[in-house]
Amino acid sequence: PQHAMSSPYVALLRGINVGGKRVPMDQLKKLFEDKGGFSSVRTYIQSGNVIFQAAEDEGMQDRIEKFLAAKFGFDIPVLILSASELKNVSDNLKTDTVSKSKCEDVTKLHVTFLPEEPSKAGLDKLKSIKSDPDTFWRTGNAIYLHCPSGYGRTKLNNNAIERALGIKATTRNWKTVQTLLEMLDE
């Protein structure tokens, strides 16, 4: 059997370094190397973004969640994206005609990453949230969120999206998404 090629991935950790869930980035990097057996591990800012190289592995997310819980003593939901999946999120925004009209100021743009496509019922529930002036649209497993008054003031925050859709989610601002893409290319 031939050995699997190593590919770049990004792990997005939800809800760390807020509300007492402290995860030092140097420990996170070491865990990914030692427990995960991943190579070229790098972290970006404190919100839990880990870039690494790995052979394709169906159980990767569960393994990562288990070693994080064992080390830090609380559950940390993790979403794994391949480089092409993250690039699609970026490319979809650039080609999405809906978004061009809404997003002149990308500093007001966020992406909520979902582990699966949301149900129609969940999307209807999300659409029912009164959120002016904020707007959102979905492409695949990503919800693009435009918050002219800033993410800190939106009613469409990560918790509201999770409640409406009934699935775990994690949100990043557009600058973080673009930086992670650049890091994946390095």
Side-chain angles (χ1 to χ4, degrees):
Q2 60 188 40
H3 290 289
M5 291 289 295
S6 177
S7 303
Y9 290 91
V10 60
L12 302 174
L13 282 60
R14 185 199 180 287
I16 65 162
N17 295 328
V18 290
K21 292 189 170 184
R22 293 274 159 244
V23 176
M25 292 302 105
D26 57 338
Q27 287 182 28
L28 189 60
K29 180 180 187 296
K30 193 164 173 24
L31 275 174
F32 268 70
E33 291 166 345
D34 297 350
K35 297 281 188 224
F38 305 125
S39 60
S40 305
V41 179
R42 292 170 294 158
T43 61
Y44 174 66
I45 64 177
Q46 298 299 306
S47 58
N49 307 290
V50 185
I51 308 267
F52 61 97
Q53 290 275 339
E56 192 173 337
D57 169 6
E58 285 297 313
M60 189 165 22
Q61 179 182 331
D62 285 342
R63 261 195 11 255
I64 292 169
E65 288 178 346
K66 281 188 177 81
F67 70 62
L68 291 175
K71 169 70 177 172
F72 297 110
F74 49 86
D75 289 333
I76 302 171
V78 175
L79 199 64
I80 308 281
L81 296 168
S82 67
S84 61
E85 287 170 326
L86 190 63
K87 187 173 179 346
N88 285 343
V89 167
S90 180
D91 291 348
N92 285 341
L93 181 81
K94 291 172 185 156
T95 57
D96 189 340
T97 51
V98 179
S99 64
K100 286 190 176 70
S101 58
K102 292 179 184 164
C103 288
E104 298 308 314
D105 181 1
V106 294
T107 65
K108 305 297 184 191
L109 180 66
H110 290 75
V111 180
T112 300
F113 294 91
L114 309 172
E116 64 210 45
E117 288 206 16
S119 67
K120 184 179 178 329
L123 283 170
D124 288 344
K125 204 169 177 183
L126 190 58
K127 287 175 188 158
S128 74
I129 298 172
K130 299 281 176 261
S131 60
D132 287 345
D134 304 332
T135 53
F136 79 90
W137 62 99
R138 177 191 70 89
T139 304
N141 293 11
I143 291 180
Y144 300 87
L145 187 58
H146 184 239
C147 305
S149 306
Y151 187 76
R153 304 180 75 140
T154 188
K155 289 189 172 73
L156 295 170
N157 63 28
N158 200 81
N159 290 339
I161 290 172
E162 285 183 334
R163 270 195 306 275
L165 300 180
I167 53 179
K168 286 283 179 214
T170 190
T171 301
R172 298 295 185 271
N173 66 37
W174 192 245
K175 179 183 184 292
T176 295
V177 172
Q178 295 308 303
T179 302
L180 293 172
L181 272 174
E182 289 164 19
M183 290 174 74
L184 282 165
D185 276 344
E186 287 170 6

